[in-house]
Every structure is written in structure tokens, then in C-alpha cells.
Amino acid sequence: MFLLLPFDSLIVNLLGISLTVLFTLLLVFIIVPAIFGVSFGIRKLYMKTLLKIFAWATLRMERGAKEKNHQLYKPYTNGIIAKDPTSLEEEIKEIRRSGSSKALDNTPEFELSDIFYFCRKGMETIMDDEVTKRFSAEELESWNLLSRTNYNFQYISLRLTVLWGLGVLIRYCFLLPLRIALAFTGISLLVVGTTLVGYLPNGRFKEFLSKHVHLMCYRICVRALTAIITYHDRKNRPRNGGICVANHTSPIDVIILASDGYYAMVGQVHGGLMGVIQRAMVKACPHVWFERSEVKDRHLVAKRLTEHVQDKSKLPILIFPEGTCINNTSVMMFKKGSFEIGATVYPVAIKYDPQFGDAFWNSSKYGMVTYLLRMMTSWAIVCSVWYLPPMTREKDEDAVQFANRVKSAIARQGGLVDLLWDGGLKREKVKDTFKEEQQKLYSKMIVGNHEDRSRS
């Protein structure tokens, strides 16, 4: 039989007491408040403290950079060059006007100077590409003590170096283990809870339990990210039989919204851990999962969604119509599928504060595990959520126009740039239809002016 020495026994006892105290604190201050949806204000106090530290670090950084003649910020940022919108015809006329006096006659025929318009547009696209910049993380002008956002600032002064090193210890040795424990607790409770609820007979009691099990587990997962969320206009929260659409920045958008309401999820069936979670969830709630072979069948997808929203007893569907993650500076083209089925649409705008941690998932650069590690080693995830009034499709309005109207409302409320480009450009080449559209505009200008001149 193995015997412990007195010193070893003392260490074991101290370790056991420490784990018991840690678990008790976790239960009392995080898990139980998450279950009942209450907060002790610890996260807001934590956020205010961080803001003061960031402000001090930024001042030290500016002072140290000035003393050592270092360049403080990167010369190129993800900023947007604001321009007054003008048409192709107006810009070409301006080029002709500045090029020669002959252009004052509004000559309809092709002129060599017209080439310069398309050359300039091409150069502008390369220098200030408003599409691909949406697929890279925002560059902060102030430092949040994360080397992933600004490089080499921790070496400007000794105090900053010490503070940065202390921050690394706190994030990786305290916050990371705590957040992993909370995430494991939330996911485990979700799988076990929804599985048990799934064995109950259908009825109001099962529906009640399913809603609250989902809500409880999502709230625990939100605390695993130290998420500080401000919800606005809760009176407009989505209702049964509707579709909730939101701009998409990160996979955690789902738990951000689901920790404040009840939703039916839509997505592709996965394997592994995600597949286990999906199979457990669908036992308790009618989520809409599609097999890989079904996803590309637009008619089948539309049919399944239509059947769901027509049943007013079912939860609202949560959809991200952009189809990919954008870096939270803009809203890109909404796919029209969810706007064709005739349901009431509940728009939601989500805006993250990158000062505490960048929530954007650059899926072409980071895998899911690496992304989650970056999230759990950030200081916090801070965001605002606005519930907009419900919108319905108007008469003589097609699905594309309706989608654009909803998208514009979300962009306006969230302070985001409203772009017409397809988020699919993240992985694909520009569609030929976009090129053909510019060609048609130019041809229309030439042919149209020629016809007007012939009539006169």
C-alpha cells in the first residue's frame, strides 16, 4: 500500500481545499447567476478597470515612442476613404471635359480618354480595396496590451514590459483555465440537459424546459468568454413564426443572441463534437439541420424553412444571410433565400468593441481551435446588440430589394458600412456578372447618347 509522507499529505490537502474553494466560487459567482440571468456587476467593474489600464498604457506608449523617435502607428490601416457617390457617366464626362475641348460637345462615340476611367478604377481598387479589407482584423490605434493587435509596443519602456508580462500571466494562467472550465460546464450541461429533455413527451412542459436549458447553457458559455453585452430595444426581440437575421462577425454571434432569447438554429450537419451537440439539441427543440447533400438544394432549404415559420408554435429561426464572417466594419450582401419565404423578418445589429478583444473569425487564416484559443486569451468580448422593429416584404418588392432594405437598416443602426459586394469574394473570384454590369453601363451611355443625337 502506498503511504504519503506528512509533507506530501499536506500538499494534497491544500490542493484539495484550493480546488473546493475555486469550484465553490465558480458556482456561486458565475454558474448560479448565469442560470438565473443575474449579474453582480463584476464584469463591468473589470471592464472599467481595463479601460483605465489601457489609457495609461497608451500614454506611456506615446511618450516612449516620442522619446525614442519610433513610429507609433502603422502607416496603413483598414480605414475607408470616403467619396461622394458618382455614376460612371458623370465620371467619364468629367475626364473628357478635363482632357479636351472636344468633349464639351458630349460626343457619344468612344474616346481614347475613356480608358483612363477604367484604369483609375482598377488602381483605386488595388490601393483601397473596400472588399478584401473586410476579411482582415481591425488595427487598433491604441494598445490593449495584446501583442496580436500591435507589435513591439511592449518593449518601449520597462513599465510597459512588466505590465504586458503581467497581463500574459493573468490571461494564460488564470483566465484561460477558468474559461475552459466554464465552456466545458456549459457544453456538457447543454448536451446532457437537451438529451434528457428529449425523452419527455411533446407538450408545453417539454417546450418550457427546452427553452430554459438552452438559455442557461448559452449564458454559461457567454461567461466563458467574459462577454459584456448591452442589449437595446428588447421589446423588438424576435417572436415565434419569424426569422431573425443579423450581421455575421464570428461563430460566437450565436451564443451572444441565444443568451438573451430563444431561437431555432439552422445549419449543416457536422461530425465530431459539433455533431454530438447538434444531435442532442434537436431532441429537445426543432432545430433545422441539413445534410451536406441538401445544403445546395435551394428549393429543399426554402421548403424546410417555410414549413418551420408557418408553424407559429415554433421558435424563430436564426440566420446570418451574409454567409461568411465579416470584420464588423461593414455589412455585405445578404443572400435572398431567407427573404423569399414570406415570413416576418426581425433584424438585429451586432457591433463588437475590438478594444478588449477582436471577435472576428478569419477562417482562411485560423482554424476553429486556434480561433477559440485567441478568444479565451483575450481580455473580454464586449459588444452591443440592437433589436430593430420587425419588417415585412412590401408590395412590388422582390426578395433582393427586401434583403437590401433589411441590410441597410442593420448597417445604419450598427454604424457599419453598407456594401453591395458578396461575402463569397472571400474565397472566390469576382463574378462575371459584375464585370458585365460595368460593360453594359458604358455601352448604354454610348448607345443611348448616340440614339438621342440621331433623333435630334
Side-chain angles (χ1 to χ4, degrees):
M1 184 175 179
F2 182 73
L3 296 176
L4 290 174
L5 296 174
F7 180 73
D8 295 335
S9 179
L10 177 62
I11 292 177
V12 171
N13 288 334
L14 288 175
L15 184 61
I17 293 171
S18 300
L19 290 175
T20 303
V21 171
L22 179 61
F23 179 75
T24 303
L25 292 174
L26 199 69
L27 191 67
V28 172
F29 289 101
I30 299 179
I31 297 178
V32 172
I35 292 173
F36 293 100
V38 297
S39 174
F40 294 130
I42 297 174
R43 285 174 296 165
K44 289 189 176 180
L45 178 63
Y46 169 70
M47 182 179 71
K48 290 178 180 178
T49 305
L50 283 177
L51 284 173
K52 291 181 179 179
I53 295 173
F54 294 163
W56 178 86
T58 301
L59 288 174
R60 290 294 307 174
M61 180 181 68
E62 291 173 348
R63 188 185 308 169
K66 188 179 292 184
E67 291 172 356
K68 297 183 179 182
N69 294 322
H70 286 176
Q71 185 178 358
L72 190 57
Y73 305 127
K74 289 189 176 181
Y76 301 106
T77 66
N78 284 343
I80 301 158
I81 299 175
K83 299 176 183 176
D84 295 328
T86 54
S87 68
L88 177 145
E89 186 173 357
E90 289 173 349
E91 292 195 37
I92 288 183
K93 282 182 178 180
E94 181 62 30
I95 292 174
R96 290 183 177 185
R97 191 179 296 114
S98 60
S100 65
S101 58
K102 179 184 176 181
L104 296 175
D105 298 331
N106 291 327
T107 308
E109 286 80 8
F110 166 78
E111 285 195 9
L112 189 61
S113 62
D114 294 350
I115 297 174
F116 293 115
Y117 166 79
F118 298 101
C119 291
R120 188 182 70 186
K121 280 295 181 183
M123 292 299 294
E124 287 178 354
T125 300
I126 295 171
M127 297 298 293
D128 184 40
D129 183 3
E130 66 176 10
V131 178
T132 55
K133 70 171 66 172
R134 310 301 171 182
F135 306 130
S136 60
E138 295 179 79
E139 178 72 21
L140 300 179
E141 291 188 346
S142 60
W143 192 32
N144 59 2
L145 301 179
L146 297 175
S147 59
R148 68 189 66 161
T149 52
N150 292 98
Y151 301 97
N152 300 322
F153 286 169
Q154 64 267 29
Y155 305 120
I156 285 179
S157 74
L158 179 61
R159 290 183 182 180
L160 276 181
T161 302
V162 172
L163 186 60
W164 172 75
L166 182 61
V168 171
L169 287 175
I170 292 173
R171 289 185 293 109
Y172 283 88
C173 299
F174 175 71
L175 291 179
L176 180 58
L178 175 64
R179 289 167 174 173
I180 290 175
L182 284 172
F184 178 79
T185 302
I187 293 172
S188 299
L189 287 176
L190 180 64
V191 172
V192 173
T194 52
T195 300
L196 293 176
V197 171
Y199 288 113
L200 296 175
N202 293 331
R204 290 187 177 180
F205 182 64
K206 179 179 180 180
E207 183 181 342
F208 174 83
L209 279 183
S210 174
K211 285 181 177 180
H212 287 82
V213 165
H214 279 84
L215 192 63
M216 173 189 71
C217 297
Y218 287 129
R219 284 174 174 169
I220 293 174
C221 290
V222 158
R223 280 158 172 81
L225 297 169
T226 316
I228 303 164
I229 313 166
T230 304
Y231 297 98
H232 304 271
D233 301 322
R234 282 178 162 168
K235 62 182 181 294
N236 295 325
R237 280 187 293 188
R239 299 182 181 180
N240 288 7
I243 296 178
C244 174
V245 298
N247 56 301
H248 198 24
T249 303
S250 159
I252 66 173
D253 293 339
V254 174
I255 62 173
I256 293 293
L257 294 177
S259 63
D260 189 54
Y262 313 111
Y263 298 94
M265 308 299 172
V266 177
Q268 181 179 309
V269 174
H270 293 275
L273 176 61
M274 183 61 71
V276 172
I277 297 172
Q278 286 181 318
R279 288 191 293 273
M281 289 172 63
V282 79
K283 291 177 182 177
C285 178
H287 298 287
V288 185
W289 305 131
F290 295 97
E291 296 292 340
R292 184 181 294 272
S293 58
E294 297 175 330
V295 173
K296 295 182 179 180
D297 190 339
R298 291 182 63 253
H299 297 291
L300 177 61
V301 172
K303 180 182 177 183
R304 293 273 301 277
L305 296 180
T306 303
E307 290 173 352
H308 184 100
V309 298
Q310 286 178 347
D311 187 346
K312 300 304 179 183
S313 65
K314 292 184 177 180
L315 298 177
I317 293 174
L318 177 58
I319 293 179
F320 301 100
E322 286 170 299
T324 189
C325 294
I326 313 298
N327 70 358
N328 211 225
T329 60
S330 64
V331 184
M332 301 190 80
M333 187 180 77
F334 279 6
K335 304 292 190 295
K336 66 178 182 178
S338 53
F339 300 90
E340 289 178 322
I341 59 181
T344 301
V345 171
Y346 294 85
V348 176
I350 306 174
K351 179 63 178 175
Y352 290 92
D353 185 349
Q355 193 172 192
F356 302 91
D358 186 14
F360 169 59
W361 181 32
N362 188 348
S363 55
S364 60
K365 187 175 181 181
Y366 302 110
M368 178 60 75
V369 175
T370 304
Y371 168 76
L372 291 176
L373 180 63
R374 289 170 65 87
M375 286 297 94
M376 289 189 172
T377 53
S378 296
W379 291 111
I381 298 299
V382 180
C383 71
S384 295
V385 175
W386 289 272
Y387 296 107
L388 279 66
M391 301 173 71
T392 54
R393 188 168 162 182
E394 297 177 350
K395 293 182 179 179
D396 302 326
E397 185 179 46
D398 60 27
V400 174
Q401 292 170 331
F402 184 29
N404 288 334
R405 184 160 59 91
V406 173
K407 177 169 68 74
S408 297
I410 291 174
R412 193 163 49 247
Q413 181 63 73
L416 306 169
V417 180
D418 185 3
L419 296 176
L420 296 175
W421 293 98
D422 186 355
L425 293 172
K426 185 176 185 178
R427 297 181 181 86
E428 301 173 359
K429 294 182 179 180
V430 177
K431 294 180 180 178
D432 291 336
T433 52
F434 287 113
K435 301 175 186 177
E436 292 170 0
E437 185 178 352
Q438 294 298 314
Q439 294 169 353
K440 287 178 181 178
L441 285 172
Y442 181 69
S443 300
K444 185 177 179 181
M445 186 192 82
I446 298 295
V447 175
N449 287 344
H450 183 72
E451 289 178 352
D452 293 340
R453 193 173 179 182
S454 298
R455 290 172 184 172
S456 59

